[in-house]
Amino acid sequence: MYLIMEVLMIISVGGLIGVMQAGLTEWEIVLKSAASLFFVLEGFLGYRKAKGNRKVSFYILFALIASLGGDVFLALDTNKGILFILGVVSFAAAHVMFSIAFSKMSKIRKSDFVVAGVILGVLLVIMSIGTFDFQGLFPVVVAYAAIISFMVAKALSLWKCRKGKERVVGLMIAGGVFFLISDGILLFWMFGIGVPRIAQYANWIMYYLGQLFQARALNQNWEET
């Protein structure tokens, strides 16, 4: 069943890139929503399976649902208005939920804030030296960058508690890193000047890989955390 969901996701993402290349933008919301929906369904199946890990899997499932909402809002947005803000809030909520899930496995430590600060610092340097037009949304972008920086820091911290659940921890870390790469590309695509469309396709591939790794983490046999 999981494999079926993932095959349908690949078809949806491939179709998404195809219709955008053909200029059929009206299909974007359908295919983006479909791809995220398959991850939610896979996550739900994994949540039902993960009996001893409900305190972690619940937040991951909630994050996948929030990501689905973010996909819908951004697909409907045409002028970076209220729907864009709602999309950002949805994705931010998803990263908060991922952070909570990771914190259930590895307690929050000072080192997490140090790593998050380094990641955020790099993102701020990129934003300050790059050619961007934030259209008055710079504070929103910085707030979002801070949230995802902490999420990635917490994902990386899981390496310390990987014993007995190496596979699930590896998937969660990979998912967090791919989300960061995806949002880095998205930064250039949405606010950069003169960025080619291929950046959008790369963003989708990185983003859905991140979703795939997080959804798959729920399907693994791992110790109660």
Side-chain angles (χ1 to χ4, degrees), residues 9 12-13 30-42 64-65 67-72 91 207-208 211:
M9 175 277 296
S12 297
V13 175
V30 175
L31 292 170
K32 286 187 72 175
S33 300
S36 288
L37 180 60
F38 293 133
F39 284 122
V40 171
L41 293 175
E42 181 174 351
L64 293 173
I65 294 173
S67 295
L68 170 60
D71 276 333
V72 173
F91 285 125
Y207 167 68
Y208 286 115
Q211 293 278 70

Side-chain angles (χ1 to χ4, degrees), residues 70-140:
D71 276 333
V72 173
F73 286 130
L74 289 190
L76 290 172
D77 175 65
T78 57
N79 59 358
K80 294 186 176 63
I82 185 62
L83 291 177
F84 175 81
I85 299 297
L86 290 174
V88 172
V89 170
S90 295
F91 285 125
H95 291 314
V96 169
M97 292 301 104
F98 281 129
S99 298
I100 294 174
F102 301 155
S103 298
K104 295 288 184 180
M105 299 173 64
S106 174
K107 292 182 179 179
I108 297 176
R109 296 179 172 85
K110 291 181 180 179
S111 58
D112 297 326
F113 292 101
V114 173
V115 174
V118 171
I119 296 172
L120 178 59
V122 172
L123 293 175
L124 290 176
V125 169
I126 292 174
M127 285 186 268
S128 64
I129 65 177
T131 305
F132 298 101
D133 178 9
F134 290 104
Q135 303 173 40
L137 294 171
F138 185 72
V140 175

Side-chain angles (χ1 to χ4, degrees), residues 6 9-36 39 67-68 70-77 84 91 174-175 177-190 195-213:
E6 291 170 5
M9 175 277 296
I10 293 172
I11 293 173
S12 297
V13 175
L16 176 61
I17 294 175
V19 298
M20 291 303 291
Q21 186 68 25
L24 304 174
T25 55
E26 63 273 14
W27 283 93
E28 178 181 357
I29 184 173
V30 175
L31 292 170
K32 286 187 72 175
S33 300
S36 288
F39 284 122
S67 295
L68 170 60
D71 276 333
V72 173
F73 286 130
L74 289 190
L76 290 172
D77 175 65
F84 175 81
F91 285 125
V177 171
F178 272 95
F179 281 142
L180 179 62
I181 296 173
S182 167
D183 285 333
I185 297 172
L186 185 63
L187 174 69
F188 283 91
W189 170 246
M190 297 203 74
V195 178
R197 181 171 287 277
I198 192 174
Q200 186 179 41
Y201 304 154
N203 161 249
W204 285 336
I205 292 172
M206 296 296 104
Y207 167 68
Y208 286 115
L209 280 174
Q211 293 278 70
L212 173 62
F213 291 135

Side-chain angles (χ1 to χ4, degrees), residues 47-63:
Y47 172 75
R48 292 183 60 188
K49 175 183 175 183
K51 297 178 181 178
N53 307 312
R54 290 287 173 86
K55 60 184 180 181
V56 174
S57 58
F58 169 80
Y59 290 104
I60 295 178
L61 177 60
F62 189 95

